[in-house]
Amino acid sequence: MREQIETADRRRLLSRLAGDYHVQTARRAATFMSRDIVTDMTILAITRANVRQITASPEPVAYTYEGVAGVPADGLRIPVSVYALAKDLGLPYENIRRRVKKLLDAGVCITVDGGVVIPGATVVRQSNLDLIAETQIATEKFVAEAGRFGVTAAQHYRPPTADLPKQIIRLAMNYFLDATTFTAKGMKVDVVAVLVLRAINMANISHVTHDPALAVTYAGMEEILPHEARQPTSVYSVGRFLHLPYETARRAVIRLEERGLVQRGPKGLFVSPDVVTRPDVLEGMLYLVALTEAYLKDLARVGIAYRPNPGSPG
């Protein structure tokens, strides 16, 4: 698939689609979980660490818990320390320690020898099941849109199993965490600022991202959307979109302005064309493209791929 993207030079197109999917994933997590994105990422990081060894194989997971397919039993979950979580998320230890304590007090996670785990009883709460269902819908839409724009991993397709929703949520959450933490490290900002930056950029270019003609026009590495074609947004709009308190969003925007990643114009906030050609931003974009290519392959292997002629082989 890499050859297909680079031959047609769909890299910026794919990075825009991926960026939109990435920030929408953050919004979904905040909608169905705690409405605090760092707490939500802490929950996801705990869950990932707990089942990393169990779900390392790309083959469907057959474990059951209280009759719900694909939920590994509590005794199989690997505990994780607060220190490891803070390192994984690139956040201060005390920041994560406070959030883990709140999660423990709320019964979202429990303490066992070696650290904390998210028990199966939490995984099967209705809010989490709703998140799983919404993530499957959004992921299928993302795969279909990328396919229509010329990016597909259909050659890796395998028929889905009954465990498909859980397979998708595991892959989606891994993708979300990896895309967020890598970008934060590369741009030397925190994970909240990364999501605010992505939300601003997506607001600036959303009219291009999903328009077939404009998306292809601005598809390649050299096809950068000019300043006058970008649609500015506001701190209030970004905070509301990500379910962030206004003050949290405002402080994140200030940090991004200090790094020269966001500018404030008379009509609002925008990411300028100059920013998207910076070496650190280009590196992040190319990483996102590579991560998305791998993600599309993994999704195809569990049964989600763009197949305009599903009756044909592959």
Side-chain angles (χ1 to χ4, degrees), residues 87-200:
K87 186 176 181 181
D88 187 24
L89 294 173
L91 290 170
Y93 174 88
E94 188 59 26
N95 188 329
I96 300 303
R97 188 196 67 79
R98 289 196 305 268
R99 283 177 164 80
V100 169
K101 185 179 185 304
K102 290 180 180 179
L103 293 172
L104 288 168
D105 292 343
V108 174
C109 63
I110 58 175
T111 302
V112 299
D113 288 342
V116 295
V117 299
I118 303 288
T122 295
V123 175
V124 297
R125 288 180 180 179
Q126 188 58 51
S127 59
N128 287 330
L129 297 179
D130 291 341
L131 174 61
I132 290 169
E134 289 295 321
T135 299
Q136 180 171 352
I137 292 170
T139 301
E140 290 175 342
K141 180 180 178 181
F142 166 64
V143 170
E145 188 166 23
R148 288 194 295 270
F149 286 165
V151 183
T152 177
Q155 66 272 33
H156 299 281
Y157 174 79
R158 296 179 187 175
T161 69
D163 195 37
L164 179 63
K166 296 289 193 318
Q167 292 284 327
I168 292 173
I169 193 70
R170 291 184 192 112
L171 292 172
M173 294 304 107
N174 285 341
Y175 175 81
F176 169 67
L177 288 172
D178 288 343
T180 307
T181 55
F182 179 89
T183 305
K185 291 175 184 176
M187 294 186 177
K188 296 181 175 59
V189 294
D190 59 89
V191 292
V192 174
V194 165
L195 296 173
V196 169
L197 174 64
R198 190 140 280 159
I200 293 170

Side-chain angles (χ1 to χ4, degrees), residues 170-237:
R170 291 184 192 112
L171 292 172
M173 294 304 107
N174 285 341
Y175 175 81
F176 169 67
L177 288 172
D178 288 343
T180 307
T181 55
F182 179 89
T183 305
K185 291 175 184 176
M187 294 186 177
K188 296 181 175 59
V189 294
D190 59 89
V191 292
V192 174
V194 165
L195 296 173
V196 169
L197 174 64
R198 190 140 280 159
I200 293 170
N201 191 51
M202 288 303 106
N204 293 166
I205 65 174
S206 61
H207 59 298
V208 171
T209 302
H210 303 286
D211 182 285
L214 289 176
V216 174
T217 298
Y218 297 102
M221 290 294 289
E222 304 303 321
E223 285 73 47
I224 300 170
L225 191 68
H227 174 77
E228 60 272 14
R230 295 171 185 262
Q231 298 180 345
T233 188
S234 66
V235 174
Y236 174 79
S237 296

Side-chain angles (χ1 to χ4, degrees), residues 1-6 8-10 13-14 17 143-153 216 296 306:
M1 186 172 59
R2 175 178 291 279
E3 290 180 358
Q4 176 188 352
I5 294 171
E6 293 185 348
D9 202 3
R10 293 289 193 266
L13 184 154
L14 182 57
L17 288 174
V143 170
E145 188 166 23
R148 288 194 295 270
F149 286 165
V151 183
T152 177
V216 174
L296 290 171
Y306 178 72

Side-chain angles (χ1 to χ4, degrees), residues 273-289:
D274 292 340
V275 168
V276 299
T277 60
R278 282 173 39 168
D280 56 339
V281 176
L282 283 173
E283 181 183 4
M285 189 202 78
L286 292 173
Y287 173 82
L288 184 62
V289 168

Side-chain angles (χ1 to χ4, degrees), residues 237-297:
S237 296
V238 169
R240 186 174 182 182
F241 176 80
L242 290 172
H243 298 298
L244 290 173
Y246 177 84
E247 191 58 26
T248 301
R250 188 187 70 83
R251 289 196 298 268
V253 168
I254 290 173
R255 296 195 294 276
L256 292 168
E257 288 180 296
E258 290 172 347
R259 293 277 292 110
L261 293 166
V262 166
Q263 297 181 27
R264 195 184 300 265
K267 295 184 179 180
L269 305 169
F270 61 91
V271 177
S272 77
D274 292 340
V275 168
V276 299
T277 60
R278 282 173 39 168
D280 56 339
V281 176
L282 283 173
E283 181 183 4
M285 189 202 78
L286 292 173
Y287 173 82
L288 184 62
V289 168
L291 187 68
T292 305
E293 290 176 338
Y295 180 47
L296 290 171
K297 290 179 183 178

